[in-house]
Amino acid sequence: SQQGEEDPQALSIQEGENATMNCSYKTSINNLQWYRQNSGRGLVHLILIRSNEREKHSGRLRVTLDTSKKSSSLLITASRAADTASYFCATCFRDDKIIFGKGTRLHILP
Amino acid sequence: KAGVTQTPRYLIKTRGQQVTLSCSPISGHRSVSWYQQTPGQGLQFLFEYFSETQRNKGNFPGRFSGRQFSNSRSEMNVSTLELGDSALYLCASSLGRNTGFGPDTQYFGPGTRLTVL
């Protein structure tokens, strides 16, 4: 399967701590995208990282991409209650297909 | 700019019926993709339409079909509904450009929650 796989499946941390989620995939990609989904709602795009990029930042979010290891990580710094959500990586291929992983459920504890 | 809108938001049908879901993309977006989300299978790609043509298709049976109109609005139809079709159906729009670095960012609608009884 070309599907990206997130790790861990679920993560609970205290508010203020950093949260790290990983995504691994099996075949060469053109870009990789991270999305957030709040309970049962639509997905919100967070960051797109191209295959020739190694790191991108957006506010408290930091995404890295290691194409040699076929993996990406999403770091959320100084977590807040509002960060509680499911996070998905989407691996994107030359034929423009996008494959989503099953997500990491992040729970921020007060 | 208005976001992606989907109608209806909730739908209850019985087995054997058919259903049509609608998606209005962000103004200027020419690509519309449809996804099925279930707890067991996660987010699965159904199909993508670009300029009224199906450009990509996932691995779903022929009961699932779609179309796109000249104003980029899209509809998805599921015929002969089965219990397993109960899911959140998400639509996403994008500019659909071929940048050489894969698909553009997709913007998702809130979804249509379909329950099949």
Side-chain angles (χ1 to χ4, degrees):
Chain A
S1 167
Q2 294 175 312
Q3 187 181 48
E5 295 183 2
E6 292 93 341
D7 171 62
Q9 290 186 348
L11 179 62
S12 292
I13 60 171
Q14 294 293 138
E15 192 168 11
E17 293 181 336
N18 296 342
T20 300
M21 289 157 269
N22 302 295
C23 173
S24 60
Y25 54 94
K26 296 180 181 177
T27 61
S28 295
I29 60 171
N30 272 24
N31 70 49
L32 187 145
Q33 303 178 27
W34 285 91
Y35 289 82
R36 183 188 74 227
Q37 184 180 36
N38 292 88
S39 182
R41 299 183 185 177
L43 279 71
V44 174
H45 178 259
L46 297 175
I47 289 184
L48 181 156
I49 186 165
R50 294 179 170 183
S51 58
N52 64 345
E53 297 175 315
R54 293 296 167 257
E55 187 172 311
K56 284 191 84 167
H57 297 252
S58 176
R60 294 183 297 111
L61 307 179
R62 173 178 167 249
V63 167
T64 60
L65 179 64
D66 187 334
T67 52
S68 65
K69 294 182 179 178
K70 291 185 170 60
S71 68
S72 173
S73 67
L74 169 66
L75 168 68
I76 304 173
T77 60
S79 62
R80 304 168 182 170
D83 296 328
T84 293
S86 291
Y87 292 81
F88 295 87
C89 74
T91 43
C92 309
F93 303 92
R94 294 184 192 282
D95 58 1
D96 284 345
K97 280 189 179 171
I98 301 176
I99 310 289
F100 282 83
K102 293 200 173 183
T104 291
R105 294 187 309 280
L106 174 65
H107 186 55
I108 308 300
L109 303 168
Chain B
K1 262 187 185 177
V4 178
T5 58
Q6 291 186 245
T7 56
R9 293 292 313 278
Y10 301 91
L11 207 48
I12 299 175
K13 292 284 187 179
T14 56
R15 277 181 300 175
Q17 287 186 309
Q18 67 101 26
V19 67
T20 299
L21 312 181
S22 180
C23 172
S24 293
I26 291 172
S27 177
H29 284 191
R30 296 167 65 189
S31 169
V32 173
S33 297
W34 288 90
Y35 295 85
Q36 181 196 65
Q37 186 177 30
T38 59
Q41 298 299 316
L43 265 162
Q44 293 188 286
F45 172 74
L46 282 154
F47 29 66
E48 181 212 2
Y49 285 87
F50 180 82
S51 292
E52 301 180 66
T53 300
Q54 189 179 86
R55 188 160 71 170
N56 271 308
K57 188 177 186 301
N59 297 321
F60 277 79
R63 300 184 298 107
F64 292 83
S65 63
R67 60 178 175 168
Q68 187 179 34
F69 302 95
S70 58
N71 61 359
S72 293
R73 190 177 70 85
S74 177
E75 287 183 348
M76 190 193 93
N77 184 274
V78 187
S79 63
T80 319
L81 284 166
E82 300 176 0
L83 294 179
D85 297 333
S86 293
L88 181 66
Y89 289 88
L90 293 163
C91 153
S93 78
S94 76
L95 291 169
R97 300 166 300 182
N98 183 350
T99 63
F101 281 101
D104 273 320
T105 297
Q106 294 191 98
Y107 296 86
F108 282 79
T112 294
R113 173 78 61 186
L114 172 64
T115 302
V116 182
L117 303 175

